[in-house]
Amino acid sequence: MFDRTTWIALALSIVGLIAWQSYYTNHYPHPVLPPPPSQAAVTTVSTPASQPEPSVALPASKVLPQLKARREVVDTAKAEYLFQENAAGIEAVTLFIHLGEQAHSLQLNTFSPTPIGSLQEPSGALLANFSMKSDKATGKVVFDYQAPNGLNITKNFVLPQTTGSPEEYLVGLDLTFKNNSTAPLDVPAYFLSCGGASPIHTTDAPTYTRFDWFSKGRMTSIDVNWFSAGMIPFVGIQTHAARALYEMNNPAISWTAVTSQYFCTILTAQTADLSSVWASRFEAAPASEQPNNRPLYGMQGGVVLAPLHLAAGEAVSQHYTIFAGPKDFSALEKLGNGQQSVMNFGTFHLVSEFLLWAMNSLKKILGNYAAAIIILTLLIKTVLWPIQNKATSSMKRMQLLSPRMTELREKYKDNPTKMNEELMKLYKQYGVNPFGGCLPMLIQIPVFFGFYSMLGTAIELRNSHFLWIHDLSQPDTIAHLLHYPVNLLPIIMAGTMLWQMALSPKGGDPAQQRMMYFMPVIFLCFCYNFASALALYWTTQNLFSIAQLYVTRNSPLPKLEVAVPRAKKKRRH
């Protein structure tokens, strides 16, 4: 069934996969995630004044030691919030309806050096020695700080009281600076933290650990690798040294966020005028616990509050909201301020948004995300059926021209310019588009990358099952061979691509044909360690294309006729 070229392409696919998997494993091996700390053990008492809280430098490079301060757990219908008294912030958020690695409770900000909503002084020290009062019935937690110079800082956290709405993960934060002295007071530019993010699963790529900020309708984003020394892959040439701190100034900053693959924490300014952001990375797990002897990094960040000048008795209040929960596009969009941008859909974001809407709509009907992806793929292929048929016809006409093209290449083999001129004349003479067979593939590229971006962050796919696949948001690893994961669906996908290429009519430029044989390698590398839902989509569309080729393969060959030039319209005088 396969010719020699197809077998060569298959061999290249296997070699390419091994090379890519080797590079990926060496540079991005599956990390060993530390289990989240048990909150059952978090019942400590207040620290005496003689034992101040250890400070943390900005940027923090290591996890803060266990904080010796009173903690308070306050629940809502969807989450549990662990408040830490001394630093006056949310130390961890446990999401009730989501699970992390190995069925552990899924917690956000667990390994971050800074609690969500905490303040750091310009020196980098964590502002500590707050007192805490809580009212679990109303979901309110109030912190108070009194400095020797008369500065009073209060933080009032208000937990969400509603469910079934976008606000069910939204925490309010009122931050007030008051001058209780009789003289004017200058308040420094404090750093306000939106917490930290680290990988949730062992299969999470480092590029999903990100820091985002939004200003004037545009999001700027970096991933945790931004802090590492820049290297050219496979060569090892350093392009820039490691970086410790990310700082950016920009007017009218609306919000900042730290994100993992499927979850995020967003700090949004409702009243404050923000113009500066910061981010740094921290060790979520030491190098000694990782397979490549490199630390597992997380990322923390936040905003820089503008300095204040307070007259005697003057108070300034600022209002913020904190969203700590799943990356649900619809819910984030309803919150406003462009917060759905944390999905990071990229260039083809409009395609991704449409595909996400279509997938969720079909799931409501079919009751299963795998079925929704399959039906959505079939609908897309049905719409493209006429284009595919036209491309197949074009490829068959090219196949009929192959003998004449071979003659021209042989005749002008020593004059490539003349050969190309004669080939173009031949194409024009018979009205053949040499790239007509590539059109369906080109149209599929935006759809593929739209799926790629959407399926990589769509919270809906987590824990969705299909056949042997336990989670459509993760690779479908069925075994390990010499420490390499064996992911079955991407291999089936590459096989269906080769099957489709073997059935397709041959013709056209040999260089173009050879380039097409690299496509299975490229798509295999894209999909191998990605969410298995992407390989499911591409495998389905391959099978549909194969069925289409079988339907049209027995249709009569098109006639090779000289194209009649179109008559030029006469101009009216």
Side-chain angles (χ1 to χ4, degrees):
M1 180 179 176
F2 293 156
D3 57 17
R4 188 181 68 173
T5 309
T6 306
W7 284 113
I8 292 174
L10 179 60
L12 287 174
S13 298
I14 295 172
V15 171
L17 173 62
I18 294 173
W20 167 250
Q21 188 63 32
S22 177
Y23 176 81
Y24 187 92
T25 302
N26 291 332
H27 290 78
Y28 308 114
H30 290 175
V32 177
L33 299 180
S38 172
Q39 293 193 5
V42 184
T43 53
T44 54
V45 296
S46 301
T47 304
S50 60
Q51 297 179 5
E53 190 71 29
S55 64
V56 53
L58 179 67
S61 60
K62 293 184 177 181
V63 176
L64 199 66
Q66 186 71 17
L67 300 172
K68 297 179 180 179
R70 184 167 67 93
R71 289 170 169 81
E72 191 76 50
V73 174
V74 184
D75 292 351
T76 68
K78 289 294 181 71
E80 180 181 85
Y81 298 84
L82 177 64
F83 287 90
Q84 200 273 343
E85 180 181 43
N86 218 1
I90 303 173
E91 187 173 326
V93 180
T94 302
L95 305 181
F96 291 149
I97 63 173
H98 297 279
L99 291 177
E101 193 74 5
Q102 298 178 351
H104 287 301
S105 297
L106 197 148
Q107 296 181 352
L108 306 181
N109 201 58
T110 308
F111 306 105
S112 171
T114 54
I116 303 168
S118 61
L119 293 171
Q120 286 178 299
E121 300 178 31
S123 64
L126 195 66
L127 188 64
N129 295 319
F130 281 81
S131 61
M132 176 172 59
K133 295 180 180 179
S134 65
D135 185 347
K136 294 187 178 182
T138 60
K140 294 182 179 180
V141 181
V142 180
F143 296 91
D144 187 80
Y145 170 85
Q146 186 66 52
N149 63 356
L151 175 63
N152 175 248
I153 301 176
T154 59
K155 298 180 186 179
N156 188 358
F157 289 87
V158 181
L159 271 59
Q161 300 297 308
T162 59
T163 59
S165 70
E167 290 81 17
E168 61 189 357
Y169 293 105
L170 202 64
V171 177
L173 169 59
D174 292 310
L175 178 61
T176 302
F177 298 90
K178 184 178 180 181
N179 181 5
N180 284 335
S181 70
T182 57
L185 184 65
D186 289 318
V187 180
Y190 284 112
F191 293 81
L192 178 62
S193 174
C194 65
S198 54
I200 299 294
H201 295 287
T202 59
T203 53
D204 291 357
T207 51
Y208 284 117
T209 305
R210 310 185 69 86
F211 173 74
D212 307 323
W213 56 277
F214 193 83
S215 175
K216 296 182 178 180
R218 181 176 178 270
M219 188 184 78
T220 303
S221 181
I222 62 168
D223 63 56
V224 73
N225 290 327
W226 184 91
F227 299 95
S228 302
M231 293 288 181
I232 299 176
F234 300 107
V235 178
I237 299 176
Q238 182 171 308
T239 56
H240 65 77
R243 295 174 285 203
L245 180 66
Y246 174 84
E247 289 183 293
M248 287 296 294
N249 297 316
N250 196 292
I253 294 173
S254 301
W255 52 260
T256 62
V258 287
T259 73
S260 59
Q261 186 168 5
Y262 296 102
F263 301 91
C264 62
T265 302
I266 308 174
L267 176 69
T268 304
Q270 302 293 336
T271 56
D273 184 17
L274 303 175
S275 59
S276 184
V277 299
W278 64 274
S280 63
R281 71 179 182 182
F282 60 87
E283 286 188 13
S288 59
E289 297 177 1
Q290 299 306 304
N292 61 348
N293 291 320
R294 297 176 184 175
L296 174 65
Y297 288 111
M299 182 180 292
Q300 63 172 338
V303 298
V304 182
L305 305 183
L308 298 173
H309 180 78
L310 300 178
E314 182 182 5
V316 173
S317 295
Q318 301 171 356
H319 181 61
Y320 301 87
T321 57
I322 300 166
F323 177 91
K327 286 183 179 179
D328 184 322
F329 180 87
S330 178
L332 292 171
E333 186 178 36
K334 291 175 183 177
L335 291 178
N337 291 316
Q339 294 187 53
Q340 72 275 13
S341 300
V342 297
M343 304 296 293
N344 201 32
F345 283 154
T347 304
F348 300 107
H349 65 95
L350 294 178
V351 178
S352 296
E353 291 171 18
F354 170 77
L355 293 172
L356 179 60
W357 170 83
M359 183 182 72
N360 285 330
S361 299
L362 288 170
K363 193 267 180 182
K364 292 178 182 178
I365 300 172
L366 302 170
N368 180 274
Y369 276 108
I373 292 171
I374 292 171
I375 297 301
L376 179 57
T377 306
L378 296 180
L379 290 174
I380 293 171
K381 291 297 293 181
T382 301
V383 171
L384 296 177
W385 180 287
I387 299 174
Q388 180 67 54
N389 282 346
K390 188 174 181 179
T392 303
S393 177
S394 178
M395 293 170 68
K396 287 182 177 180
R397 297 180 71 188
M398 286 287 292
Q399 192 173 17
L400 293 175
L401 278 180
S402 290
R404 301 189 189 188
M405 294 163 61
T406 302
E407 291 176 5
L408 289 175
R409 291 191 180 98
E410 185 63 29
K411 183 177 180 180
Y412 299 106
K413 61 182 179 181
D414 297 326
N415 190 346
T417 302
K418 181 65 174 176
M419 179 185 68
N420 288 330
E421 289 177 357
E422 293 298 322
L423 285 172
M424 293 307 296
K425 289 180 182 179
L426 184 65
Y427 296 148
K428 187 175 181 180
Q429 180 181 2
Y430 289 96
V432 174
N433 181 2
F435 300 103
C438 299
L439 184 59
M441 178 64 72
L442 293 176
I443 294 175
Q444 284 284 343
I445 292 301
V447 180
F448 174 82
F449 283 105
F451 264 114
Y452 182 85
S453 300
M454 182 270 285
L455 297 175
T457 54
I459 188 67
E460 292 87 344
L461 293 177
R462 292 189 79 245
N463 302 315
S464 296
H465 303 270
F466 178 66
L467 298 179
W468 68 89
I469 305 171
H470 299 293
D471 191 341
L472 285 169
S473 71
Q474 300 293 314
D476 65 322
T477 304
I478 59 172
H480 283 80
L481 183 62
L482 299 177
H483 304 291
Y484 293 110
V486 178
N487 301 334
L488 183 58
L489 195 54
I491 297 173
I492 295 174
M493 177 202 69
T496 57
M497 288 187 73
L498 290 170
W499 185 7
Q500 180 184 349
M501 292 166 67
L503 291 175
S504 300
K506 305 297 187 296
D509 186 0
Q512 180 184 337
Q513 293 182 40
R514 286 192 294 270
M515 182 184 70
M516 293 300 294
Y517 277 111
F518 279 98
M519 295 302 291
V521 181
I522 296 171
F523 278 81
L524 196 60
C525 292
F526 259 114
C527 296
Y528 199 77
N529 293 293
F530 199 72
S532 53
L534 183 67
L536 175 62
Y537 152 69
W538 199 252
T539 303
T540 302
Q541 80 91 29
N542 287 344
L543 292 173
F544 191 91
S545 297
I546 289 167
Q548 190 175 10
L549 286 169
Y550 273 112
V551 169
T552 59
R553 69 184 302 184
N554 295 325
S555 59
L557 291 173
K559 294 181 180 180
L560 195 61
E561 299 176 342
V562 176
V564 179
R566 294 181 180 178
K568 294 183 179 179
K569 293 182 179 180
K570 294 183 179 181
R571 294 183 180 179
R572 294 181 179 178
H573 296 284

